Structures are given as C-alpha cells and as structure tokens.
Amino acid sequence: MHERYDDMYEACMRYYVQDETMESIARHLKLSRSSVSRLLAEARHTGMVRISVEAPQGSSSPVARTVAAIFGVRVHLVTVGDSASINTRFERVSRLAAALLRDSVADGNYIGVAWGVTLSNIVPFLEKRSLHDATIVQMNGGTNVHDTSARHVASILQALSANFDARIVQFPVPAFFDYAETKRAMWRERSVRLVLNLQARLDVAIFGVGSIHARVPSYVYTAGFLDESELTELRSQGVVGDVCTVLLRENGTYEDIALNQRASGLTPAELRRIPRRIGVVADPSRASALLGALRAKTITDLVCDDSSARALLDLFDPEDHRPVRG
C-alpha cells in the first residue's frame, strides 16, 4: 500500500505540477500508461488531488457583469449558445455547479440541499472530496401521496453524502401539507424542531429554481405534489415558480400566497441567513422564476447559462422593481 501511495503521489506531482505526459511518467515508474491513468483517477477519487475550476470566460462577459451589478450576486456563467440542446445546457451548467459546490464546502459545514430536477443533474458530476464532520441537511420536505418514500429526494442526499463523507439529516415531512394548521402543529414537534434548528445553522446551500412554465418540467408541478385546482389558483395569483417549494411571483413577493402557509421549505427570509447560497438555472424558460428568486434575494452565487442570463435581462424592467421585505 505504501508503494502504491508513493507511486500515486509521484504520478500526480509529475502530471499536474511538472506537466509531464503519461507516457513519460509510465517510463519513469516502470508502469503501463493505463496504470498511470488509474493512479491519477484514484488520486482524484480519494481527494489526494483537488481540481478547482475557475469561472469560465463567460463570467466576465457584459451579460454576466450586468446581472451581477443589478442583483448584487456573483455570476458563474457558462457560454452554451442559443442553438444548444436542453440536455447540453443542463450538462454544462451542472458541471460548473458541481465544481463550485465542491470548492465552497469545508470541514464541519452544514450543507443545505433542496431536491429537484436541477440537483438530480448536478450530483453525477461531483468529484469526490472527503470532509471531516460535515452534515448534509435536507431543506424542504419531499413526500406526496404518490411517493411517500420520497425516493427521488433520498437518491440526491445519498449521492452527496457519499461524495463528501458527510452525515445526512433528512426532513421526513410532506413537500406541502394538506392543512396549514397541520404544519404549525408539526413545527412544534421535537423531531421536526431538531431539523429546523440545523437548517438555521447552514453554512452553504444549493438549489435549483422551479418554474410552472419550464421547458423541462419542475417536479413540484408535475409529480403529484399539487393538484390541478391548486395549480390553477397559483397561476391566478401570479405565481411563476419556487425556491425550496416556497412559491414566488416575478416581483419576488411570496408572503401573501396562501399555499406557502402549507409549504415545508425555507422561506426567502430564512434562506438569507445562510452565508453562501448557490442557485442554479440551466433553462431560459425559467427566467421569470429566476427573476423572482433574485428579487427575493435568495441567491448569492448564480450558476447559469448565457441564454438564461439574457432571458432574465430581457424580462427585467427597473421601473417595475419593488423592494422585497426581508
């Protein structure tokens, strides 16, 4: 084992620091090229090598700078192009979001996660990084009458836990309660209070922005969490999407939306207590929901593609902007 560790370390130093080729390293170590490749892969997997990804050139583009200036967020922009397929768009944005999350967490952190289509796309691109005493905390309930086991939610949490060697704290409540009084009663239970207290201590959070009008449907609106009458009511109230299942209008307001009294996720006011909040969008059709999320100040770090950023700016009208109560 010590010999293999030494070979791994030397291979990494020569490849990543001294810029040697795999063929040269293989000759020096008297190994095959494929063996060197496996050593380098194992070094990344075990955390011996950590690869940081700098923000792409698009992050300093006029579009990115404009979004950053208007909304006071750090923008991590991927240049994809309008003709790219939605799958390519999600893949490119998800890769950058995974790298940003990996570089944003640290030992002892409480890491908040909101499930959804976007997080499902991000977790396959995470590279292994072992943390000490870190905890993954679910930020919103995930069960509904069609999936009481919340398998989709569990798979995201387990993938993150395995990647960071972190504990999982699940939030075993519905995404939306049937009755607001049921939620109020549950929020007094000690087991639920334990999770709520951990949510209040989060260091980093990552989430997508759900949209009623998304080209790639958000689970919140398609997987049985809400019935058709509830969706009709939301549209009539001007709801365009959600963050952590808390519903938002394009102007960022949310407090007077009745269904939010039954939502289990962190409100924008609660999210704003978290020092770093990574919001991820890879779909221009979510621009109105993203505008609402930014106006509600839910995001400190926006990861998105260039088309989504331009769609956001096309919607933004400074004359319509109203401050959101915090």
PDB file of all heavy atoms in Angstrom, residues 45-77:
ATOM      1  N   HIS A  45     -10.222  10.548  -6.870  1.00  0.00           N
ATOM      2  CA  HIS A  45     -11.325   9.938  -6.126  1.00  0.00           C
ATOM      3  C   HIS A  45     -11.100  10.007  -4.617  1.00  0.00           C
ATOM      4  O   HIS A  45     -12.031  10.236  -3.843  1.00  0.00           O
ATOM      5  CB  HIS A  45     -11.508   8.481  -6.561  1.00  0.00           C
ATOM      6  CG  HIS A  45     -12.626   7.777  -5.855  1.00  0.00           C
ATOM      7  ND1 HIS A  45     -13.954   8.043  -6.109  1.00  0.00           N
ATOM      8  CD2 HIS A  45     -12.608   6.832  -4.877  1.00  0.00           C
ATOM      9  CE1 HIS A  45     -14.707   7.287  -5.333  1.00  0.00           C
ATOM     10  NE2 HIS A  45     -13.923   6.548  -4.574  1.00  0.00           N
ATOM     11  N   THR A  46      -9.872   9.814  -4.186  1.00  0.00           N
ATOM     12  CA  THR A  46      -9.577   9.800  -2.745  1.00  0.00           C
ATOM     13  C   THR A  46      -9.337  11.189  -2.182  1.00  0.00           C
ATOM     14  O   THR A  46      -9.255  11.358  -0.968  1.00  0.00           O
ATOM     15  CB  THR A  46      -8.332   8.940  -2.457  1.00  0.00           C
ATOM     16  OG1 THR A  46      -7.211   9.478  -3.174  1.00  0.00           O
ATOM     17  CG2 THR A  46      -8.572   7.494  -2.857  1.00  0.00           C
ATOM     18  N   GLY A  47      -9.230  12.190  -3.031  1.00  0.00           N
ATOM     19  CA  GLY A  47      -9.015  13.550  -2.554  1.00  0.00           C
ATOM     20  C   GLY A  47      -7.566  13.960  -2.467  1.00  0.00           C
ATOM     21  O   GLY A  47      -7.265  15.081  -2.036  1.00  0.00           O
ATOM     22  N   MET A  48      -6.623  13.087  -2.878  1.00  0.00           N
ATOM     23  CA  MET A  48      -5.216  13.488  -2.897  1.00  0.00           C
ATOM     24  C   MET A  48      -5.028  14.687  -3.835  1.00  0.00           C
ATOM     25  O   MET A  48      -4.262  15.611  -3.553  1.00  0.00           O
ATOM     26  CB  MET A  48      -4.323  12.332  -3.361  1.00  0.00           C
ATOM     27  CG  MET A  48      -2.847  12.726  -3.459  1.00  0.00           C
ATOM     28  SD  MET A  48      -1.803  11.399  -4.093  1.00  0.00           S
ATOM     29  CE  MET A  48      -1.705  10.325  -2.658  1.00  0.00           C
ATOM     30  N   VAL A  49      -5.775  14.657  -4.940  1.00  0.00           N
ATOM     31  CA  VAL A  49      -5.750  15.755  -5.892  1.00  0.00           C
ATOM     32  C   VAL A  49      -7.113  16.425  -5.894  1.00  0.00           C
ATOM     33  O   VAL A  49      -8.138  15.757  -6.007  1.00  0.00           O
ATOM     34  CB  VAL A  49      -5.418  15.254  -7.316  1.00  0.00           C
ATOM     35  CG1 VAL A  49      -5.643  16.364  -8.342  1.00  0.00           C
ATOM     36  CG2 VAL A  49      -3.986  14.775  -7.385  1.00  0.00           C
ATOM     37  N   ARG A  50      -7.128  17.730  -5.731  1.00  0.00           N
ATOM     38  CA  ARG A  50      -8.357  18.509  -5.823  1.00  0.00           C
ATOM     39  C   ARG A  50      -8.233  19.458  -6.995  1.00  0.00           C
ATOM     40  O   ARG A  50      -7.298  20.266  -7.057  1.00  0.00           O
ATOM     41  CB  ARG A  50      -8.604  19.290  -4.537  1.00  0.00           C
ATOM     42  CG  ARG A  50      -8.995  18.433  -3.355  1.00  0.00           C
ATOM     43  CD  ARG A  50      -9.158  19.286  -2.118  1.00  0.00           C
ATOM     44  NE  ARG A  50     -10.051  20.406  -2.383  1.00  0.00           N
ATOM     45  CZ  ARG A  50     -10.169  21.471  -1.591  1.00  0.00           C
ATOM     46  NH1 ARG A  50      -9.412  21.579  -0.518  1.00  0.00           N
ATOM     47  NH2 ARG A  50     -11.006  22.430  -1.873  1.00  0.00           N
ATOM     48  N   ILE A  51      -9.157  19.358  -7.927  1.00  0.00           N
ATOM     49  CA  ILE A  51      -9.113  20.197  -9.116  1.00  0.00           C
ATOM     50  C   ILE A  51     -10.123  21.324  -8.949  1.00  0.00           C
ATOM     51  O   ILE A  51     -11.318  21.083  -8.813  1.00  0.00           O
ATOM     52  CB  ILE A  51      -9.436  19.370 -10.382  1.00  0.00           C
ATOM     53  CG1 ILE A  51      -8.406  18.243 -10.545  1.00  0.00           C
ATOM     54  CG2 ILE A  51      -9.463  20.276 -11.609  1.00  0.00           C
ATOM     55  CD1 ILE A  51      -8.714  17.300 -11.674  1.00  0.00           C
ATOM     56  N   SER A  52      -9.640  22.556  -8.923  1.00  0.00           N
ATOM     57  CA  SER A  52     -10.517  23.716  -8.839  1.00  0.00           C
ATOM     58  C   SER A  52     -10.753  24.260 -10.237  1.00  0.00           C
ATOM     59  O   SER A  52      -9.829  24.329 -11.048  1.00  0.00           O
ATOM     60  CB  SER A  52      -9.881  24.808  -7.963  1.00  0.00           C
ATOM     61  OG  SER A  52      -9.741  24.350  -6.638  1.00  0.00           O
ATOM     62  N   VAL A  53     -11.998  24.626 -10.490  1.00  0.00           N
ATOM     63  CA  VAL A  53     -12.348  25.148 -11.808  1.00  0.00           C
ATOM     64  C   VAL A  53     -12.590  26.644 -11.683  1.00  0.00           C
ATOM     65  O   VAL A  53     -13.455  27.080 -10.915  1.00  0.00           O
ATOM     66  CB  VAL A  53     -13.609  24.450 -12.354  1.00  0.00           C
ATOM     67  CG1 VAL A  53     -13.981  25.014 -13.711  1.00  0.00           C
ATOM     68  CG2 VAL A  53     -13.378  22.946 -12.441  1.00  0.00           C
ATOM     69  N   GLU A  54     -11.795  27.427 -12.400  1.00  0.00           N
ATOM     70  CA  GLU A  54     -12.013  28.861 -12.390  1.00  0.00           C
ATOM     71  C   GLU A  54     -13.271  29.192 -13.180  1.00  0.00           C
ATOM     72  O   GLU A  54     -13.691  28.449 -14.068  1.00  0.00           O
ATOM     73  CB  GLU A  54     -10.813  29.576 -13.026  1.00  0.00           C
ATOM     74  CG  GLU A  54      -9.528  29.465 -12.220  1.00  0.00           C
ATOM     75  CD  GLU A  54      -9.644  30.139 -10.867  1.00  0.00           C
ATOM     76  OE1 GLU A  54     -10.323  31.191 -10.784  1.00  0.00           O
ATOM     77  OE2 GLU A  54      -9.078  29.611  -9.897  1.00  0.00           O
ATOM     78  N   ALA A  55     -13.890  30.300 -12.828  1.00  0.00           N
ATOM     79  CA  ALA A  55     -15.068  30.739 -13.562  1.00  0.00           C
ATOM     80  C   ALA A  55     -14.729  30.881 -15.038  1.00  0.00           C
ATOM     81  O   ALA A  55     -13.675  31.398 -15.387  1.00  0.00           O
ATOM     82  CB  ALA A  55     -15.560  32.082 -13.025  1.00  0.00           C
ATOM     83  N   PRO A  56     -15.606  30.394 -15.912  1.00  0.00           N
ATOM     84  CA  PRO A  56     -15.307  30.465 -17.343  1.00  0.00           C
ATOM     85  C   PRO A  56     -15.293  31.904 -17.837  1.00  0.00           C
ATOM     86  O   PRO A  56     -15.765  32.815 -17.160  1.00  0.00           O
ATOM     87  CB  PRO A  56     -16.455  29.668 -17.977  1.00  0.00           C
ATOM     88  CG  PRO A  56     -17.562  29.761 -16.987  1.00  0.00           C
ATOM     89  CD  PRO A  56     -16.912  29.782 -15.645  1.00  0.00           C
ATOM     90  N   GLN A  57     -14.758  32.067 -19.027  1.00  0.00           N
ATOM     91  CA  GLN A  57     -14.626  33.407 -19.588  1.00  0.00           C
ATOM     92  C   GLN A  57     -15.962  34.135 -19.631  1.00  0.00           C
ATOM     93  O   GLN A  57     -16.029  35.347 -19.475  1.00  0.00           O
ATOM     94  CB  GLN A  57     -14.025  33.324 -20.998  1.00  0.00           C
ATOM     95  CG  GLN A  57     -13.710  34.678 -21.612  1.00  0.00           C
ATOM     96  CD  GLN A  57     -13.025  34.541 -22.943  1.00  0.00           C
ATOM     97  OE1 GLN A  57     -12.816  33.434 -23.430  1.00  0.00           O
ATOM     98  NE2 GLN A  57     -12.661  35.655 -23.543  1.00  0.00           N
ATOM     99  N   GLY A  58     -17.041  33.376 -19.819  1.00  0.00           N
ATOM    100  CA  GLY A  58     -18.356  33.996 -19.883  1.00  0.00           C
ATOM    101  C   GLY A  58     -18.731  34.745 -18.627  1.00  0.00           C
ATOM    102  O   GLY A  58     -19.563  35.652 -18.650  1.00  0.00           O
ATOM    103  N   SER A  59     -18.122  34.381 -17.471  1.00  0.00           N
ATOM    104  CA  SER A  59     -18.460  35.030 -16.222  1.00  0.00           C
ATOM    105  C   SER A  59     -17.998  36.482 -16.165  1.00  0.00           C
ATOM    106  O   SER A  59     -18.445  37.244 -15.310  1.00  0.00           O
ATOM    107  CB  SER A  59     -17.866  34.250 -15.044  1.00  0.00           C
ATOM    108  OG  SER A  59     -18.482  32.977 -14.952  1.00  0.00           O
ATOM    109  N   SER A  60     -17.098  36.864 -17.042  1.00  0.00           N
ATOM    110  CA  SER A  60     -16.677  38.264 -17.102  1.00  0.00           C
ATOM    111  C   SER A  60     -17.280  38.970 -18.315  1.00  0.00           C
ATOM    112  O   SER A  60     -16.861  40.081 -18.657  1.00  0.00           O
ATOM    113  CB  SER A  60     -15.150  38.359 -17.147  1.00  0.00           C
ATOM    114  OG  SER A  60     -14.643  37.678 -18.286  1.00  0.00           O
ATOM    115  N   SER A  61     -18.245  38.343 -18.960  1.00  0.00           N
ATOM    116  CA  SER A  61     -18.882  38.922 -20.139  1.00  0.00           C
ATOM    117  C   SER A  61     -19.795  40.081 -19.726  1.00  0.00           C
ATOM    118  O   SER A  61     -20.173  40.213 -18.555  1.00  0.00           O
ATOM    119  CB  SER A  61     -19.711  37.859 -20.860  1.00  0.00           C
ATOM    120  OG  SER A  61     -20.830  37.499 -20.072  1.00  0.00           O
ATOM    121  N   PRO A  62     -20.162  40.945 -20.670  1.00  0.00           N
ATOM    122  CA  PRO A  62     -21.082  42.045 -20.341  1.00  0.00           C
ATOM    123  C   PRO A  62     -22.396  41.561 -19.731  1.00  0.00           C
ATOM    124  O   PRO A  62     -22.922  42.197 -18.810  1.00  0.00           O
ATOM    125  CB  PRO A  62     -21.309  42.719 -21.703  1.00  0.00           C
ATOM    126  CG  PRO A  62     -20.070  42.418 -22.477  1.00  0.00           C
ATOM    127  CD  PRO A  62     -19.658  41.035 -22.059  1.00  0.00           C
ATOM    128  N   VAL A  63     -22.937  40.434 -20.219  1.00  0.00           N
ATOM    129  CA  VAL A  63     -24.190  39.909 -19.668  1.00  0.00           C
ATOM    130  C   VAL A  63     -24.012  39.534 -18.205  1.00  0.00           C
ATOM    131  O   VAL A  63     -24.826  39.892 -17.341  1.00  0.00           O
ATOM    132  CB  VAL A  63     -24.673  38.683 -20.482  1.00  0.00           C
ATOM    133  CG1 VAL A  63     -25.835  37.992 -19.771  1.00  0.00           C
ATOM    134  CG2 VAL A  63     -25.098  39.111 -21.881  1.00  0.00           C
ATOM    135  N   ALA A  64     -22.927  38.808 -17.900  1.00  0.00           N
ATOM    136  CA  ALA A  64     -22.685  38.391 -16.520  1.00  0.00           C
ATOM    137  C   ALA A  64     -22.461  39.594 -15.611  1.00  0.00           C
ATOM    138  O   ALA A  64     -22.985  39.642 -14.490  1.00  0.00           O
ATOM    139  CB  ALA A  64     -21.484  37.453 -16.459  1.00  0.00           C
ATOM    140  N   ARG A  65     -21.691  40.565 -16.091  1.00  0.00           N
ATOM    141  CA  ARG A  65     -21.433  41.756 -15.272  1.00  0.00           C
ATOM    142  C   ARG A  65     -22.709  42.546 -15.019  1.00  0.00           C
ATOM    143  O   ARG A  65     -22.909  43.090 -13.928  1.00  0.00           O
ATOM    144  CB  ARG A  65     -20.375  42.637 -15.943  1.00  0.00           C
ATOM    145  CG  ARG A  65     -18.975  42.028 -15.962  1.00  0.00           C
ATOM    146  CD  ARG A  65     -17.924  43.101 -16.207  1.00  0.00           C
ATOM    147  NE  ARG A  65     -18.140  43.774 -17.483  1.00  0.00           N
ATOM    148  CZ  ARG A  65     -17.611  43.390 -18.633  1.00  0.00           C
ATOM    149  NH1 ARG A  65     -16.848  42.316 -18.681  1.00  0.00           N
ATOM    150  NH2 ARG A  65     -17.837  44.071 -19.741  1.00  0.00           N
ATOM    151  N   THR A  66     -23.590  42.582 -16.001  1.00  0.00           N
ATOM    152  CA  THR A  66     -24.844  43.309 -15.836  1.00  0.00           C
ATOM    153  C   THR A  66     -25.732  42.631 -14.798  1.00  0.00           C
ATOM    154  O   THR A  66     -26.304  43.298 -13.920  1.00  0.00           O
ATOM    155  CB  THR A  66     -25.587  43.410 -17.181  1.00  0.00           C
ATOM    156  OG1 THR A  66     -24.763  44.085 -18.136  1.00  0.00           O
ATOM    157  CG2 THR A  66     -26.896  44.170 -17.020  1.00  0.00           C
ATOM    158  N   VAL A  67     -25.863  41.307 -14.888  1.00  0.00           N
ATOM    159  CA  VAL A  67     -26.665  40.567 -13.907  1.00  0.00           C
ATOM    160  C   VAL A  67     -26.091  40.758 -12.502  1.00  0.00           C
ATOM    161  O   VAL A  67     -26.821  41.005 -11.539  1.00  0.00           O
ATOM    162  CB  VAL A  67     -26.726  39.068 -14.256  1.00  0.00           C
ATOM    163  CG1 VAL A  67     -27.391  38.273 -13.138  1.00  0.00           C
ATOM    164  CG2 VAL A  67     -27.484  38.858 -15.567  1.00  0.00           C
ATOM    165  N   ALA A  68     -24.766  40.679 -12.384  1.00  0.00           N
ATOM    166  CA  ALA A  68     -24.116  40.845 -11.082  1.00  0.00           C
ATOM    167  C   ALA A  68     -24.379  42.237 -10.509  1.00  0.00           C
ATOM    168  O   ALA A  68     -24.654  42.391  -9.312  1.00  0.00           O
ATOM    169  CB  ALA A  68     -22.621  40.583 -11.211  1.00  0.00           C
ATOM    170  N   ALA A  69     -24.306  43.260 -11.362  1.00  0.00           N
ATOM    171  CA  ALA A  69     -24.492  44.635 -10.894  1.00  0.00           C
ATOM    172  C   ALA A  69     -25.933  44.908 -10.476  1.00  0.00           C
ATOM    173  O   ALA A  69     -26.181  45.575  -9.461  1.00  0.00           O
ATOM    174  CB  ALA A  69     -24.065  45.607 -11.990  1.00  0.00           C
ATOM    175  N   ILE A  70     -26.884  44.389 -11.228  1.00  0.00           N
ATOM    176  CA  ILE A  70     -28.294  44.642 -10.924  1.00  0.00           C
ATOM    177  C   ILE A  70     -28.721  43.954  -9.633  1.00  0.00           C
ATOM    178  O   ILE A  70     -29.383  44.553  -8.775  1.00  0.00           O
ATOM    179  CB  ILE A  70     -29.196  44.173 -12.087  1.00  0.00           C
ATOM    180  CG1 ILE A  70     -29.008  45.078 -13.311  1.00  0.00           C
ATOM    181  CG2 ILE A  70     -30.667  44.160 -11.661  1.00  0.00           C
ATOM    182  CD1 ILE A  70     -29.725  44.581 -14.547  1.00  0.00           C
ATOM    183  N   PHE A  71     -28.311  42.686  -9.478  1.00  0.00           N
ATOM    184  CA  PHE A  71     -28.855  41.883  -8.382  1.00  0.00           C
ATOM    185  C   PHE A  71     -27.878  41.674  -7.224  1.00  0.00           C
ATOM    186  O   PHE A  71     -28.243  41.085  -6.214  1.00  0.00           O
ATOM    187  CB  PHE A  71     -29.325  40.522  -8.919  1.00  0.00           C
ATOM    188  CG  PHE A  71     -30.426  40.637  -9.929  1.00  0.00           C
ATOM    189  CD1 PHE A  71     -30.176  40.452 -11.283  1.00  0.00           C
ATOM    190  CD2 PHE A  71     -31.722  40.950  -9.536  1.00  0.00           C
ATOM    191  CE1 PHE A  71     -31.191  40.569 -12.222  1.00  0.00           C
ATOM    192  CE2 PHE A  71     -32.742  41.069 -10.463  1.00  0.00           C
ATOM    193  CZ  PHE A  71     -32.476  40.881 -11.810  1.00  0.00           C
ATOM    194  N   GLY A  72     -26.643  42.144  -7.359  1.00  0.00           N
ATOM    195  CA  GLY A  72     -25.695  42.022  -6.262  1.00  0.00           C
ATOM    196  C   GLY A  72     -25.296  40.595  -5.961  1.00  0.00           C
ATOM    197  O   GLY A  72     -25.135  40.219  -4.796  1.00  0.00           O
ATOM    198  N   VAL A  73     -25.127  39.787  -7.010  1.00  0.00           N
ATOM    199  CA  VAL A  73     -24.740  38.388  -6.835  1.00  0.00           C
ATOM    200  C   VAL A  73     -23.453  38.112  -7.610  1.00  0.00           C
ATOM    201  O   VAL A  73     -23.076  38.867  -8.506  1.00  0.00           O
ATOM    202  CB  VAL A  73     -25.844  37.421  -7.332  1.00  0.00           C
ATOM    203  CG1 VAL A  73     -27.116  37.591  -6.513  1.00  0.00           C
ATOM    204  CG2 VAL A  73     -26.140  37.629  -8.826  1.00  0.00           C
ATOM    205  N   ARG A  74     -22.771  37.023  -7.224  1.00  0.00           N
ATOM    206  CA  ARG A  74     -21.653  36.521  -8.019  1.00  0.00           C
ATOM    207  C   ARG A  74     -22.233  35.661  -9.132  1.00  0.00           C
ATOM    208  O   ARG A  74     -23.027  34.759  -8.865  1.00  0.00           O
ATOM    209  CB  ARG A  74     -20.693  35.719  -7.144  1.00  0.00           C
ATOM    210  CG  ARG A  74     -19.937  36.557  -6.132  1.00  0.00           C
ATOM    211  CD  ARG A  74     -19.003  35.712  -5.286  1.00  0.00           C
ATOM    212  NE  ARG A  74     -19.752  34.873  -4.355  1.00  0.00           N
ATOM    213  CZ  ARG A  74     -20.042  35.239  -3.100  1.00  0.00           C
ATOM    214  NH1 ARG A  74     -19.667  36.424  -2.650  1.00  0.00           N
ATOM    215  NH2 ARG A  74     -20.713  34.427  -2.303  1.00  0.00           N
ATOM    216  N   VAL A  75     -21.820  35.906 -10.363  1.00  0.00           N
ATOM    217  CA  VAL A  75     -22.377  35.190 -11.509  1.00  0.00           C
ATOM    218  C   VAL A  75     -21.317  34.251 -12.077  1.00  0.00           C
ATOM    219  O   VAL A  75     -20.202  34.672 -12.407  1.00  0.00           O
ATOM    220  CB  VAL A  75     -22.862  36.165 -12.595  1.00  0.00           C
ATOM    221  CG1 VAL A  75     -23.387  35.388 -13.806  1.00  0.00           C
ATOM    222  CG2 VAL A  75     -23.947  37.082 -12.036  1.00  0.00           C
ATOM    223  N   HIS A  76     -21.670  32.986 -12.205  1.00  0.00           N
ATOM    224  CA  HIS A  76     -20.803  31.951 -12.778  1.00  0.00           C
ATOM    225  C   HIS A  76     -21.503  31.501 -14.054  1.00  0.00           C
ATOM    226  O   HIS A  76     -22.427  30.684 -14.014  1.00  0.00           O
ATOM    227  CB  HIS A  76     -20.622  30.802 -11.793  1.00  0.00           C
ATOM    228  CG  HIS A  76     -20.220  31.262 -10.413  1.00  0.00           C
ATOM    229  ND1 HIS A  76     -18.912  31.304  -9.995  1.00  0.00           N
ATOM    230  CD2 HIS A  76     -20.977  31.712  -9.383  1.00  0.00           C
ATOM    231  CE1 HIS A  76     -18.873  31.752  -8.745  1.00  0.00           C
ATOM    232  NE2 HIS A  76     -20.107  32.012  -8.362  1.00  0.00           N
ATOM    233  N   LEU A  77     -21.065  32.041 -15.167  1.00  0.00           N
ATOM    234  CA  LEU A  77     -21.799  31.898 -16.428  1.00  0.00           C
ATOM    235  C   LEU A  77     -21.114  30.901 -17.348  1.00  0.00           C
ATOM    236  O   LEU A  77     -19.896  30.951 -17.537  1.00  0.00           O
ATOM    237  CB  LEU A  77     -21.905  33.256 -17.115  1.00  0.00           C
ATOM    238  CG  LEU A  77     -22.913  33.360 -18.260  1.00  0.00           C
ATOM    239  CD1 LEU A  77     -24.325  33.439 -17.704  1.00  0.00           C
ATOM    240  CD2 LEU A  77     -22.616  34.588 -19.106  1.00  0.00           C
TER     241      LEU A  77
END
